[in-house]
Amino acid sequence: MEIAAIISICLLDYFDFGLIVALLISNATIGYLEERKAGNALAALEKGLSAKCTCYRNGQLIHEMDATTLVPGDIISMRLGDIVPADCVLLPGTGLKIDQAALTGESLPVEKKKGHLCFSGSVVKHGENKAIVTKTGTETFIGKAAGFISEDKGRGHFEKVLWKVGFFCIIVILIWVIIVLAVQLGGRNQPCLGVDACPAVNNILVFIVGGIPIAMPIVLQITMAIGAEMLAKHHNCLVKRFTAIEELAGMDVLCSDKTGTLTKNKLEVGKPIIYDTSLDAETTLLYAALASNLESREAIDFAMKQFLSEEKRKELDTYKQLFFHPFDPEDKVAWAKVQAPDGSIFHTLKGAPQIVFDKCSDKAKYGNQVKADMDKLAEGGYRCIGSARSDDKGKSYTMVALIPLFDPPRDDTAETVKRANEMGIQVKMITGDQTAIAKETCRMLEMNPNILPADVLAEDGQYCLRTYGVALEDIIETSGGFAMVLPEHKYAIVKSLQTGKHKHIVGMTGDGVNDAPALKRADIGIAVADSTDAARAAASIVLQAEGLSAIIHAIIGSRKIFQRMKNYCMYSISVCVRIVLTFGIYTVAYGRTFPPEAMILLAIFNDLSMLSVSTDRVQPNDEPDVWDLREIFGVAIFLGAYLTVSTHVLLLVVFYTDFFKDIGLKRLNYHTINGLIYLQVSISGLANIFVTRTKYFSFLSRPSFLLIFMFIFAQIAASLVAGFGFPGVPHECIPRECDTIGADWIEENLVLGVVPIGFPGTQPLPSNAREPYFLMPPDADAERLVFCRMY
């Protein structure tokens, strides 16, 4: 379109130049306003994502300080529930328990003491203390993951499609420009004789203005922007990169982290394995709860109390904790000195099962049974803690029970996975947890239980062929997921799925730093609710609601948006083919030209109408969407050729039959033939959107009211311009002809829906055409009617 503007100004055709520039500016303005509107809605949601902290700087306490402003040497205060804002070293004081699930994928918190390093992005689960900042930004543990995140994925699917469509249209236009120039300048010897007498260049303007889909990037961007706004407003789904919507529609593999994504990241207690047969399950949990900090929300301590019955909770309050030794990562146990309601004093112990068992005086009694039970629980996907009791001031303990712990799936995860499978999407679990735990979680969610250890990914392809008989790429393709993975493993899995023989469009969900490289590498990175800043920065989509159900809504919404974009692409290609073929043949076969001004107005009306496609009613596909360019181009070329034939059939009827005369139209002449073509091209061309927007008969799928309204508005506007026009630009027309060509024709020919336009009358009719029924003979005055503008 910019080329058309340059040609116009070179020919000193200021009117055409002004129209083309106005078209470019209007498209750019509308696109900017719509994207800004959507961007404001997204920014409002994103505003609450920045991390805050409490900092001591220059001896002053600063509350709610932006964590991005921290520098090494700052003193920060951390307490229960805080996110560690930077890599820091704990100062003297009470110890902390830090949840590093975002870093390692493990559910259990880690004990931190004076001098221990706390990583940015981890969460304080117990305690309160100060720390000195050592590293910030890209120097932190999170920042090191940015090396993966910053890798450029190259041009996306959307950009490639736009490029191919644009390239196709340019090639079609160039071919016909060469043909028309050869015929006009060579075969017919019609050289350019000046600014106002260069029909060959006028044809080039018609091809460029009508054939180049200038509004396509704008319309598609607006479609995605409006879609992103709707996802943010109705589904709490923040789309950070608009093209991710198009890629989400085509996603066929979803790689999901387990902890905090498929699961709740909250420990639950299973049925205890009891060794002291005098006790019931509730009492064994009571003893474990007595060896806990009852005021803490540390994961294990909280779970011990949370899963007691109401009756046992009341009984728990009757015991008095005389002394409590918290869990120590060195001895791996916690214990308490307790006074019972009857006044007796005993010790209770809980911790790592093997350590607890080794402290028991009756371990010979159970032999290998406890070890076998621990192995069985591990195979079932459970972690466990041991519980013991001492009645001799902790000198010797008796084994009470093994208490299973597990991180349960989210309530909506099983349904989400099922719906994803129904929509043609494979779901693979990628976790840093143990293989047995991952398999059990898959069993509970009815996912593919073929979970492999990440060790397989560290081997080369030849090792996999020798050991397993299949290539590494095929192992990744057929597996249900991988366990005990590191960040580089997740990255490699996503990359293999993308670049393998199946060329999957891969989505990756996650919430932690360990997920960030894979989130960035994936076609669609999805950061779930409460994810770390690193995950949000790497992701294309950020979920604000708990669970994965929002992903299903996002997929359905994205597939609707994809359909709108696909329909418009097909329409744009068909318009290009139709315009270039119609007016190319018009010039080559009949020796006539079409005014560029008319084509510019036609493009303006079409572009304004097509903006309504962004909210059209469509039916999403049941399978992932793909840009099947063979289908799109094939259908579009067929429709464009069909519409071309319809225009030239109309011309044949005008030139070689008395059809219009027989039905009472007595005033048609060759000055109005371009007007007839203009309105036929406008109505049939714009109506083509109703064909491309559905796979079925157009009357079986109701379009949006806005699309219908814009179609009617465009046709009314085109008819009024055709009927009345703007006399005197750029040449004066004969007054009585302007009058006749205008209002009289609307009055007499409205029933046909075609209102002629006075266009160049210097070209003769075909030599073998019938004597037309002219309003007046083609005398000298008529030959001077160079342009009685639509108008």
Side-chain angles (χ1 to χ4, degrees):
M1 191 62 75
E2 289 82 356
I3 295 175
I6 293 172
I7 293 174
S8 297
I9 199 66
C10 289
L11 294 174
L12 303 182
D13 190 346
Y14 301 114
F15 182 77
D16 285 356
F17 176 76
L19 284 178
I20 294 171
V21 171
L23 180 60
L24 288 168
I25 293 175
S26 65
N27 275 319
T29 302
I30 291 171
Y32 169 76
L33 292 176
E34 287 294 337
E35 288 201 42
R36 182 184 178 187
K37 179 182 176 183
N40 289 340
L42 301 180
L45 282 177
E46 197 171 24
K47 185 178 179 181
L49 297 181
S50 59
K52 305 292 182 182
C53 66
T54 300
C55 176
Y56 292 88
R57 179 178 289 178
N58 298 327
Q60 295 183 343
L61 177 63
I62 305 174
H63 293 285
E64 295 294 317
M65 178 176 172
D66 190 340
T68 60
T69 63
L70 286 174
V71 295
D74 281 340
I75 305 296
I76 57 175
S77 177
M78 299 182 294
R79 58 187 300 178
L80 175 67
D82 286 350
I83 297 175
V84 179
D87 284 2
C88 56
V89 174
L90 284 182
L91 297 174
T94 59
L96 299 179
K97 286 191 176 181
I98 302 293
D99 180 0
Q100 297 186 155
L103 308 176
T104 64
E106 294 290 333
S107 298
L108 296 177
V110 178
E111 184 84 12
K112 298 288 186 179
K113 295 183 177 181
K114 172 188 172 182
H116 286 183
L117 180 63
C118 298
F119 294 113
S120 175
S122 53
V123 182
V124 179
K125 288 295 186 180
H126 175 70
E128 181 175 353
N129 202 354
K130 295 182 179 66
I132 184 169
V133 174
T134 57
K135 294 180 180 179
T136 61
T138 57
E139 298 299 318
T140 63
F141 184 87
I142 291 177
K144 293 177 182 178
F148 291 103
I149 296 173
S150 60
E151 179 175 317
D152 184 11
K153 294 186 291 185
R155 190 165 54 183
H157 301 87
F158 177 68
E159 289 84 356
K160 292 177 182 177
V161 170
L162 282 182
W163 185 87
K164 290 178 180 178
V165 172
F167 181 77
F168 171 83
C169 293
I170 290 173
I171 292 299
V172 171
I173 291 171
L174 284 177
I175 291 173
W176 275 95
V177 164
I178 294 171
I179 293 173
V180 169
L181 287 177
V183 172
Q184 293 287 85
L185 301 180
R188 294 197 174 118
N189 193 24
Q190 295 181 348
C192 289
L193 301 178
V195 173
D196 298 325
C198 194
V201 175
N202 278 342
N203 277 334
I204 295 175
L205 289 178
V206 170
F207 292 160
I208 293 175
V209 172
I212 296 292
I214 178 179
M216 186 170 72
I218 302 299
V219 172
L220 297 184
Q221 287 286 352
I222 290 174
T223 300
M224 290 188 288
I226 292 176
E229 183 181 6
M230 297 298 291
L231 290 174
K233 182 183 295 184
H234 299 296
H235 304 301
N236 289 319
C237 180
L238 174 63
V239 180
K240 297 177 60 182
R241 178 171 57 87
F242 288 159
T243 54
I245 297 176
E246 171 259 339
E247 291 166 345
L248 185 61
M251 181 179 70
D252 58 349
V253 174
L254 176 61
C255 296
S256 177
D257 182 48
K258 181 185 75 70
T259 304
T261 305
L262 296 174
T263 63
K264 296 179 180 179
N265 197 18
K266 295 179 181 178
L267 290 179
E268 292 189 3
V269 177
K271 184 178 179 181
I273 299 176
I274 302 171
Y275 300 101
D276 187 342
T277 56
S278 65
L279 304 176
D280 58 18
E282 284 283 327
T283 304
T284 61
L285 291 180
L286 175 66
Y287 284 146
L290 288 170
S292 305
N293 183 351
L294 301 180
E295 302 301 324
S296 170
R297 294 187 65 86
E298 188 275 326
I300 295 179
D301 288 358
F302 182 76
M304 292 302 101
K305 181 178 178 181
Q306 184 71 19
F307 284 88
L308 288 175
S309 65
E310 189 65 30
E311 180 182 349
K312 285 296 180 181
R313 287 186 192 180
K314 292 179 180 179
E315 183 180 343
L316 181 65
D317 294 336
T318 64
Y319 288 83
K320 184 178 180 180
Q321 203 176 67
L322 301 177
F323 178 82
F324 173 70
H325 175 77
F327 181 86
D328 190 325
E330 294 181 5
D331 59 27
K332 299 186 184 302
V333 294
W335 61 272
K337 182 179 179 181
V338 180
Q339 183 178 14
D342 61 4
S344 62
I345 296 176
F346 63 94
H347 287 212
T348 181
L349 175 75
K350 80 172 194 304
Q354 188 60 53
I355 303 297
V356 171
F357 182 62
D358 289 342
K359 289 181 178 291
C360 293
S361 58
D362 57 348
K363 58 184 177 181
K365 174 181 177 182
Y366 301 105
N368 295 326
Q369 182 180 348
V370 174
K371 175 87 168 49
D373 290 338
M374 285 190 288
D375 292 342
K376 184 177 179 180
L377 289 173
E379 290 175 2
Y382 292 94
R383 295 183 177 91
C384 65
I385 61 171
S387 174
R389 171 176 171 151
S390 172
D391 293 315
D392 57 0
K393 299 181 180 181
K395 294 178 182 178
S396 62
Y397 285 89
T398 57
M399 192 69 183
V400 173
L402 286 178
I403 302 175
L405 300 173
F406 65 99
D407 181 13
R410 291 182 182 271
D411 296 335
D412 64 343
T413 301
E415 180 62 24
T416 299
V417 172
K418 180 180 178 181
R419 292 191 66 185
N421 291 333
E422 291 172 351
M423 297 170 72
I425 302 171
Q426 300 179 50
V427 181
K428 295 180 182 290
M429 179 187 294
I430 313 296
T431 179
D433 227 328
Q434 298 174 10
T435 305
I437 294 173
K439 287 185 176 181
E440 178 62 16
T441 304
C442 284
R443 185 192 62 78
M444 297 173 69
L445 296 175
E446 298 183 1
M447 294 172 60
N448 182 355
N450 183 24
I451 303 295
L452 301 176
D455 296 344
V456 175
L457 301 172
E459 305 294 346
D460 58 30
Q462 292 300 318
Y463 174 85
C464 293
L465 283 173
R466 291 194 306 269
T467 307
Y468 302 102
V470 292
L472 178 60
E473 175 187 320
D474 294 326
I475 291 176
I476 295 174
E477 178 73 31
T478 58
S479 69
F482 292 88
M484 298 184 291
V485 298
L486 298 174
E488 56 266 30
H489 294 147
K490 296 184 178 185
Y491 185 90
I493 292 167
V494 172
K495 186 175 181 179
S496 175
L497 290 169
Q498 290 174 319
T499 59
K501 57 186 177 183
H502 295 286
K503 296 292 188 295
H504 293 292
I505 296 181
V506 183
M508 174 74 191
T509 69
D511 61 352
V513 178
N514 59 331
D515 302 321
L519 287 174
K520 185 66 176 181
R521 172 69 206 191
D523 297 286
I524 314 100
I526 306 171
V528 299
D530 299 324
S531 55
T532 62
D533 291 340
R536 291 172 183 150
S540 305
I541 297 175
V542 178
L543 303 182
Q544 299 293 299
E546 293 285 342
L548 297 179
S549 59
I551 292 180
I552 296 300
H553 295 298
I555 292 172
I556 294 173
S558 67
R559 290 185 181 181
K560 289 182 178 180
I561 295 167
F562 183 93
Q563 286 301 311
R564 296 180 184 121
M565 294 194 296
K566 178 181 176 182
N567 297 342
Y568 180 72
C569 283
M570 195 177 297
Y571 168 81
S572 295
I573 297 170
S574 68
V575 166
C576 171
V577 173
R578 192 269 176 86
I579 293 296
V580 176
L581 286 182
T582 295
F583 295 106
I585 295 173
Y586 189 51
T587 298
V588 171
Y590 302 108
R592 298 176 65 88
T593 61
F594 193 77
E597 297 87 349
M599 186 56 63
I600 294 171
L601 290 176
L602 186 67
I604 290 174
F605 293 146
N606 280 5
D607 290 350
L608 290 176
S609 301
M610 286 304 100
L611 292 176
S612 60
V613 170
S614 60
T615 57
D616 188 25
R617 294 176 70 253
V618 292
Q619 185 67 31
N621 275 343
D622 295 329
E623 295 293 326
D625 288 301
V626 294
W627 287 106
D628 188 347
L629 295 182
R630 182 176 299 180
E631 174 195 352
I632 292 173
F633 280 110
V635 173
I637 292 172
F638 172 80
L639 290 173
Y642 169 79
L643 292 173
T644 298
V645 170
S646 72
T647 301
H648 286 284
V649 167
L650 177 62
L651 283 174
L652 291 174
V653 171
V654 170
F655 289 147
Y656 301 106
T657 74
D658 294 327
F659 174 78
F660 287 100
K661 180 179 179 180
D662 293 342
I663 62 175
L665 298 181
K666 301 177 181 180
R667 308 181 106 177
L668 185 63
N669 62 47
Y670 60 75
H671 302 313
T672 62
I673 290 175
N674 276 344
L676 184 67
I677 295 174
Y678 169 81
L679 214 57
Q680 196 269 348
V681 168
S682 176
I683 294 175
S684 63
L686 193 55
N688 191 36
I689 189 62
F690 299 115
V691 178
T692 61
R693 62 175 296 276
T694 177
K695 294 180 179 179
Y696 312 102
F697 292 110
S698 58
F699 57 81
L700 295 178
S701 175
R702 179 178 67 81
S704 67
F705 289 114
L706 180 59
L707 181 58
I708 296 174
F709 171 80
M710 292 302 295
F711 172 78
I712 295 173
F713 168 79
Q715 297 318 311
I716 291 175
S719 298
L720 291 176
V721 169
F724 294 99
F726 307 99
V729 183
H731 302 287
E732 293 294 337
C733 61
I734 301 171
R736 63 189 181 89
E737 291 180 280
C738 290
D739 294 339
T740 304
I741 291 170
D744 289 351
W745 265 91
I746 290 181
E747 180 181 352
E748 294 189 15
N749 301 330
L750 186 61
V751 66
L752 283 181
V754 287
V755 183
I757 307 168
F759 283 126
T762 57
Q763 300 96 344
L765 293 174
S767 59
N768 60 339
R770 287 174 179 266
E771 181 69 23
Y773 41 99
F774 293 120
L775 168 66
M776 63 178 189
D779 54 17
D781 285 340
E783 292 298 331
R784 287 191 294 105
L785 185 56
V786 176
F787 189 73
C788 185
R789 287 215 167 254
M790 306 182 279
Y791 351 142

